[in-house]
Amino acid sequence: MPEHADVLTAVPQVAGGSGLRNQYAYENDRIGCLTAWSKRYGDVFGYGPATVVVNHPDLIHQVLARTNREFSATVPMVEHQQTAAENLDAWMRGRRQGGRGIHPDLIAQCDDRLDRALATAVTALPARGMDLAAACERICGRAIIDVCLGGEAPAFYERTARASDDILAVSRTLDTPPWGAKRRYRRAVAAERDLTARLGGVLERLRARPGDPPRTSLVDALLAHPDRLPDQVITAVLRVTLIGGHGTPGTALAWCVREMSQRPELLARLSDEARAAPAPAAAADLPYTTAFVKEMLRFYPPTWLLARDVAEPVALCGRRLEPGQRVLFSPYLLHHDERWWDTPAEIRPERWLGEEKPFAPHAYFPFGAGPRVCVGSLLGLTVLVRAVALLAKGFELDVDGPADAAPRPDILLAPPRSRVRYVALTSRNAGRE
């Protein structure tokens, strides 16, 4: 599709009333409205003067690739101490350098620690059960904190989990202005300051260690970086990884557990693969488990809606966009579009086992893309694969909730409210003897 045209036209608008009326309809059925409007108005349309929806992989790729130029990602509202330009520079330096730190070799070094952390997190859940999404957030959050901070992790979990909830709520809210959530915003600011200060204390203690300590955690790898990264950059990398390692992967794991609990044949195949794999298992030892996780990220992407602000006048597919407008695009819509996927309404992990990619170019981005792609995507995928393998081979999944309820598209694409109990198979077998 063309990026520019000789004659630019305005973005077509959703009919049926004022912007407030369309906004009300959207708030009551977000996925339904975006799907219906896309079918009626095409791949670029607006449902208010300031909101433009894009629903074509090539166009979305252009927006993502041009972020930090014609488009800008909303700077988290708690990043308030510096100018926008200073924030952007520090953020991008942290992402580039931190992204090099979170590499496959480092994650492989942490395999034993990750497996232990996941097992400890699962067995620490209440025996009576708890909310599915909350339980999975605890599992992923504890494991990622352990991989990031090593021996410093235990003191961080509870406060980081609360900080993650508040910071992501104010950073990812696409429609509510800051004054609409003042209390949560104040909590997020306080949480951000507290987390930054505590990470600074960790770096000070770790830099004072004698000798050459082993590099078995992300913080160790960043401290040993040959460019001697400044503490400000390391803190930014750790902060965004810790905050993002709670809700998003936890929501993805909740969808995996829900699907596993409803499909015994799927659970059996995952269990057989996990039992046959060596310990600790490499990614190559768990191909079907990896395919299952990728398919769940396609079908239920936790970050189901993304946004970019128009930073300067720009053309997109012959449409004129102006500063002050916000561009929305949905991985969920793209991942369920028959133009880009074969049988997208079916959950089929097998689609990922072939040599060819099962989707059209740019039609799969559960972790974003472009210069603002998630720096922890590899770590997040690894945690999910290993968590699914652990649960499949070692635990009975007792999920109590509606089997056919619709997803809840809020800040994240949450599963229907359910309760879960993880019963270790060894405990279950002992009780039967």
Side-chain angles (χ1 to χ4, degrees):
M1 301 183 69
E3 178 180 343
H4 297 282
D6 294 335
V7 179
L8 300 181
T9 59
V11 174
Q13 293 292 313
V14 173
S18 66
L20 289 177
R21 181 174 175 180
N22 290 332
Q23 184 70 26
Y24 178 80
Y26 166 77
E27 291 295 339
N28 281 277
D29 184 9
R30 297 184 177 191
I31 291 176
C33 277
L34 292 178
T35 301
W37 291 340
S38 294
K39 289 180 179 178
R40 182 174 179 181
Y41 295 99
D43 289 326
V44 181
F45 64 90
Y47 66 86
T51 305
V52 178
V53 178
V54 177
N55 191 41
H56 190 286
D58 292 344
L59 298 179
I60 293 172
H61 178 71
Q62 290 179 30
V63 173
L64 290 170
R66 293 152 66 183
T67 295
N68 297 340
R69 301 197 304 272
E70 293 95 337
F71 301 94
S72 64
T74 302
V75 177
M77 290 191 291
V78 291
E79 300 270 356
H80 62 288
Q81 297 295 329
Q82 308 172 62
T83 67
E86 290 170 334
N87 276 329
L88 178 60
D89 178 66
W91 180 272
M92 294 309 299
R93 280 194 299 132
R95 292 176 67 85
R96 288 191 299 270
Q97 296 164 328
R100 291 196 294 268
I102 312 176
H103 54 76
D105 290 342
L106 171 63
I107 295 176
Q109 293 174 29
C110 299
D111 280 346
D112 285 330
R113 166 175 281 161
L114 177 54
D115 286 343
R116 289 195 303 270
L118 287 168
T120 299
V122 176
T123 54
L125 295 174
R128 66 182 182 279
M130 64 182 297
D131 177 77
L132 172 62
C136 292
E137 286 176 355
R138 284 195 187 187
I139 294 169
C140 293
R142 287 184 183 276
I144 288 176
I145 287 176
D146 193 86
V147 170
C148 285
L149 299 179
E152 298 282 345
F156 270 73
Y157 178 71
E158 295 297 339
R159 296 171 77 175
T160 303
R162 292 194 298 269
S164 176
D165 289 342
D166 289 326
I167 292 170
L168 291 185
V170 298
S171 296
R172 288 183 176 170
T173 298
L174 302 177
D175 302 303
T176 304
W179 55 85
K182 287 184 178 180
R183 181 176 299 177
R184 184 154 229 174
Y185 174 71
R186 288 195 295 268
R187 289 205 308 264
V189 170
E192 178 92 356
R193 290 172 175 168
D194 175 68
L195 183 58
T196 299
R198 289 189 294 125
L199 287 172
V202 168
L203 296 182
E204 184 177 354
R205 289 194 297 275
L206 294 182
R207 283 198 186 278
R209 291 178 298 180
D212 184 19
R215 302 174 191 178
T216 57
S217 68
L218 175 60
V219 67
D220 288 331
L222 293 173
L223 286 170
H225 195 284
D227 294 338
R228 188 172 173 81
L229 304 177
D231 285 1
Q232 180 186 13
V233 170
I234 297 177
T235 298
V237 173
L238 292 172
R239 190 178 65 223
V240 72
T241 305
L242 295 180
I243 292 170
H246 181 252
T248 303
T251 301
L253 181 60
W255 281 115
C256 291
V257 169
R258 184 172 181 267
E259 190 69 15
M260 292 158 64
S261 71
Q262 294 177 355
R263 294 175 56 180
E265 76 289 349
L266 169 70
L267 180 58
R269 182 166 179 178
L270 293 168
S271 178
D272 290 345
E273 181 177 80
R275 291 176 185 278
D285 300 318
L286 299 167
Y288 187 77
T289 307
T290 302
F292 169 65
V293 170
K294 289 182 177 179
E295 179 69 347
M296 295 306 294
L297 289 170
R298 177 194 72 83
F299 204 85
Y300 295 117
T303 305
W304 73 280
L305 189 66
L306 296 168
R308 293 292 185 267
D309 293 329
V310 181
E312 59 183 63
V314 63
L316 190 69
C317 194
R319 304 294 184 182
R320 181 176 58 251
L321 303 182
E322 300 288 348
Q325 291 182 308
R326 174 164 289 184
V327 177
L328 302 184
F329 44 96
S330 172
Y332 182 92
L333 263 64
L334 218 60
H335 293 178
H336 288 76
D337 196 321
E338 293 181 348
R339 293 177 295 174
W340 324 121
W341 298 84
D342 180 33
T343 61
E346 299 178 11
I347 296 178
R348 291 196 300 107
E350 294 77 11
R351 76 173 78 234
W352 297 93
L353 297 177
E355 294 184 1
E356 300 294 330
K357 290 183 178 180
F359 55 91
H362 312 311
Y364 181 70
F365 56 105
F367 299 107
R372 302 291 290 232
V373 67
C374 175
V375 296
S377 58
L378 179 59
L379 176 60
L381 181 63
T382 302
V383 169
L384 288 171
V385 170
R386 302 185 80 84
V388 167
L390 169 71
L391 294 174
K393 73 177 179 180
F395 293 85
E396 182 176 305
L397 310 178
D398 183 6
V399 178
D400 179 19
D404 56 352
R408 296 180 289 129
D410 195 359
I411 297 172
L412 299 173
L413 187 70
R417 289 185 174 86
S418 309
R419 290 186 65 81
V420 64
R421 290 176 66 244
Y422 298 106
V423 182
L425 293 179
T426 53
S427 300
R428 176 73 76 188
N429 294 336
R432 291 171 179 169
E433 294 177 354

